[in-house]
Amino acid sequence: MAHLEEEIFSLAREAGVDAVGICSATPFGSIEKMRFKTWLEGGNNAGMSWFERESDKRFIPAALLEGAKSAIVFRINFFRKGGDPRIALYAQSEDYHEVLKRKITKAISPLEEAGGKQRICVDTSPIAEKLLAFRAGLGWIGRNTLIITKQNGPWSFLGVVLTTLELEHCGYGLENGSCGKCRKCIDSCPTGALGDSGLDARKCISYLSIEKRRDRLSPDELSQIGNRLFGCDECLRACPFGKTAPNTKAEEFLTTIILPKDATFESLKNISDGTPISRAFRFTKRRKGNPKA
Ligand code: SF4
Ligand code: SF4
C-alpha cells in the first residue's frame, strides 16, 4: 500500500472511522442508471424532487468534481443500545453530516498537500454513495436498501470524498457478503414499503414522519405513523447482521434521547438543536413558505 493511502487510513482510525475503502471514480454503467430511472418513473421517490434533479450526475462522480479519479468511502457505526424507540436512532445524537465532515476533513489532509483537489459528500450531493461503498468493498446493499456489514448490520453512516488523485484500491475494515435468502427487513416493514424492487417512499414511515408535511398526512398515514415521532427503524432492527452490533466508538454518536410518553412531533423542536431533527424543522419551515414545495 502506498504511503499516501496509509496516512489517510491512520488519520481516519485516529478520528474513529470504522472502515475506509478506496475505489475508482469511473462512471457507473447503464444498469444502475436504468434501475434508478425505473424507480423514479414508478413514483417511488414520493415527489422528493432532489432525487430527480441532476439524476444522471449521481452515476458520474466526475460530474461533481472535474477530473475525479478516485473515491474514498468512510463508514462509521452509529449503533448504541437504548434511546427512545419512537425516534430513529440516527437522529438521537449530534448531526452526522457535521461529525463526518469533521472526521473526514482531518483524514484527507494529506491529499491537498499531495496536490489533489477534493470534494467531500456527506448525504448532501447527488452521488451514488451506497454503490461507491459497495465498489470500495465496505459491505453490500441489503434488501432494506442500506449498506450492510457483518460487523454491525445496517447501522452505518457513509461519507464520500472524490479526489483528482489516482489512488491505490485498498482499505481497512473491508468485507463482502450478501443477504442470501433472508427477507426479514421486508417482512418486518409495517407498511409494505419494501419489496423486491426496493423502497416505495410513499409508504415508508420515515418519509411520512420526516419529509411529508404534517397537515398533508391522510388519516391512514397518521395511523401508520402511530406513536412514532421521527423516522422508523423497523427494517434496521430486523436485520440479523445488526443484532450483535457493538456500540459506536464515536463519542459524538453515543447519546440517546428519551422523551415523556405524551411527547409530540412539535415537542421535538425543543430538543433538536444540533441533531439531524433540526434539519427537518428548517425544511418544513422552508416548505411552508413555498406553497409549491
Ligand atoms: S423505515 Fe420503516 S416503513 Fe420505511 S421501509 Fe423501513 S420498516 Fe418500512
Ligand atoms: S434483514 Fe436480511 S434481507 Fe434485510 S438487509 Fe438484513 S440481511 Fe438483508
Side-chain angles (χ1 to χ4, degrees):
M1 193 192 306
H3 180 64
L4 191 53
E5 289 80 348
E6 269 178 12
E7 259 189 286
I8 294 167
F9 297 159
S10 152
L11 290 167
R13 278 196 174 97
E14 265 172 39
V17 177
D18 292 290
V20 180
I22 300 177
C23 63
S24 138
T26 49
F28 288 95
S30 49
I31 295 178
E32 287 88 359
K33 270 191 217 163
M34 190 53 73
R35 269 198 205 124
F36 188 64
K37 198 165 167 255
T38 309
W39 184 79
L40 283 178
E41 283 170 357
N44 294 295
N45 59 325
M48 289 183 276
S49 55
W50 56 91
F51 282 107
E52 289 156 39
R53 255 180 260 138
E54 308 181 293
S55 67
D56 274 352
K57 271 194 189 174
R58 186 174 292 273
F59 301 98
I60 310 169
L64 287 177
L65 176 72
E66 202 184 331
K69 297 244 171 32
S70 310
I72 312 168
V73 190
F74 297 77
R75 183 183 73 72
I76 296 190
N77 167 29
F78 67 89
F79 181 78
R80 66 275 189 199
K81 290 194 175 74
D84 195 318
R86 297 168 297 174
I87 305 171
L89 192 59
Y90 85 89
Q92 297 193 31
S93 57
E94 199 178 330
D95 191 340
Y96 67 94
H97 299 86
E98 306 303 325
V99 177
L100 252 75
K101 255 187 216 157
R102 279 203 304 271
K103 291 182 185 291
I104 290 174
T105 304
K106 266 190 208 157
I108 63 166
S109 55
L111 294 178
E112 203 168 328
E113 287 156 28
K117 281 195 183 137
Q118 280 68 240
R119 177 160 176 174
I120 300 177
C121 312
V122 182
D123 203 18
T124 45
S125 315
I127 190 163
E129 57 186 15
K130 286 180 272 184
L131 288 175
L132 282 168
F134 177 66
R135 185 189 267 178
L138 290 185
W140 70 96
I141 300 175
R143 291 199 169 94
N144 59 8
T145 77
L146 301 169
I147 275 287
I148 309 295
T149 71
K150 288 174 191 159
Q151 289 171 29
N152 67 310
W155 306 100
S156 292
F157 289 133
L158 297 175
V160 175
V161 174
L162 298 175
T163 174
T164 52
L165 297 173
E166 186 104 53
L167 300 175
E168 197 179 314
H169 296 187
C170 52
Y172 71 85
L174 303 184
E175 53 168 276
N176 52 32
S178 81
C179 291
K181 290 186 177 161
C182 176
R183 297 173 66 82
K184 290 194 170 170
C185 52
I186 294 177
D187 296 342
S188 74
C189 176
T191 60
L194 283 174
D196 289 321
S197 47
L199 174 77
D200 181 346
R202 290 164 295 197
K203 295 183 188 168
C204 176
I205 292 166
S206 285
Y207 164 74
L208 296 172
S209 64
I210 298 173
E211 307 288 348
K212 192 163 179 179
R213 273 180 57 167
R214 293 262 144 176
D215 55 2
R216 290 190 186 162
L217 291 169
S218 70
D220 264 4
E221 290 170 339
L222 283 167
S223 110
Q224 281 164 351
I225 293 174
N227 71 348
R228 292 182 185 85
L229 297 169
F230 193 89
C232 166
D233 278 341
E234 299 293 334
C235 58
L236 287 85
R237 296 208 178 269
C239 183
F241 291 100
K243 299 283 182 203
T244 51
N247 276 358
T248 176
K249 285 184 276 182
E251 60 183 31
E252 297 91 335
F253 301 137
L254 274 173
T255 56
T256 51
I257 294 170
I258 302 282
L259 288 177
K261 260 191 183 162
D262 58 354
T264 61
F265 177 73
E266 289 305 315
S267 63
L268 287 175
K269 228 182 233 174
N270 306 324
I271 51 105
S272 69
D273 265 4
T275 73
I277 301 172
S278 63
R279 285 178 182 258
F281 282 112
R282 281 206 300 273
F283 185 52
T284 308
K285 210 168 147 195
R286 258 203 328 269
R287 282 186 301 180
K288 278 187 175 161
N290 175 7
K292 284 188 188 156

